[in-house]
């Protein structure tokens, strides 16, 4: 399992983000589901998906985006080979507004305040709030992938991408 834990960069297939540690109110969570359950989290690699910029009306799209990300993940080494050691959780977080913000425009009202514009392909949001949300709705989180309602990608490092 240690070698699997060292390859979290492989989850960068999804829209990812580097996040600022800002404090925020609890987001509106519509539900949570274990999408892939391969056993006890104490002996598995648990990946949690949360979304930002998806409104209540866009939850169907969010679920499709997570399913596509999971399919991509499991078609990529080493996740393809270690699939039976990975659990996938999806937390359905509702934003008041659709999309994402940029530094030079009025900020959108999204659950985690994800904003582009700090540098090329760099996205920031409320890292602390994302981590707290994941911890409440998923057990033994190893990495959190925040999908942002956009086609533009980003990168980051650490537990939240």
């Amino acid at each position: 399992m240690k070698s699997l834990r060292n390859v979290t960069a492989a989850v960068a297939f999804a829209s990812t983000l580097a996040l600022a540690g800002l404090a925020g109110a609890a987001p509106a969570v519509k539900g949570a589901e274990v999408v892939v359950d391969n056993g006890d989290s104490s002996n598995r690699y648990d990946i949690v998906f949360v979304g930002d910029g998806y409104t209540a009306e866009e939850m169907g799209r969010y679920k499709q985006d997570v399913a596509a990300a999971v399919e991509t993940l499991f078609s990529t080494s080493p996740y393809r080979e270690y699939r039976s050691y990975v659990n996938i959780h999806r937390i359905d977080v509702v934003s008041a507004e659709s999309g994402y913000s940029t530094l030079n425009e009025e900020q959108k009202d999204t659950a985690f305040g994800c904003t582009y514009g700090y540098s090329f392909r760099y996205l920031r949001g409320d890292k602390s709030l994302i981590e707290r949300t994941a911890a409440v709705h998923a057990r033994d989180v190893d990495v959190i992938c925040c999908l942002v309602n956009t086609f533009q990608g980003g990168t980051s490092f650490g537990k939240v991408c």
Side-chain angles (χ1 to χ4, degrees), residues 77-129:
S77 220
Y79 294 95
R80 177 178 45 243
E81 295 82 9
Y82 290 99
R83 179 184 184 125
S84 64
Y85 295 98
V86 176
N87 290 330
I88 306 285
H89 306 260
R90 188 193 70 240
I91 302 172
D92 303 336
V93 180
V94 177
S95 290
E97 291 185 273
S98 180
Y100 61 96
S101 299
T102 63
L103 285 180
N104 299 325
E105 297 176 3
E106 183 177 331
Q107 299 297 291
K108 292 193 178 208
D109 184 7
T110 64
F112 301 118
C114 290
T115 303
Y116 277 103
Y118 298 91
S119 66
F120 180 68
R121 294 180 57 116
Y122 185 73
L123 184 67
R124 295 175 75 173
D126 192 334
K127 179 182 178 183
S128 177
L129 184 55

Side-chain angles (χ1 to χ4, degrees), residues 39-56:
D40 186 358
S41 289
S42 67
N43 192 27
R44 295 295 179 260
Y45 189 74
D46 283 72
I47 300 172
V48 178
F49 284 90
V50 297
D52 194 44
Y54 292 89
T55 63

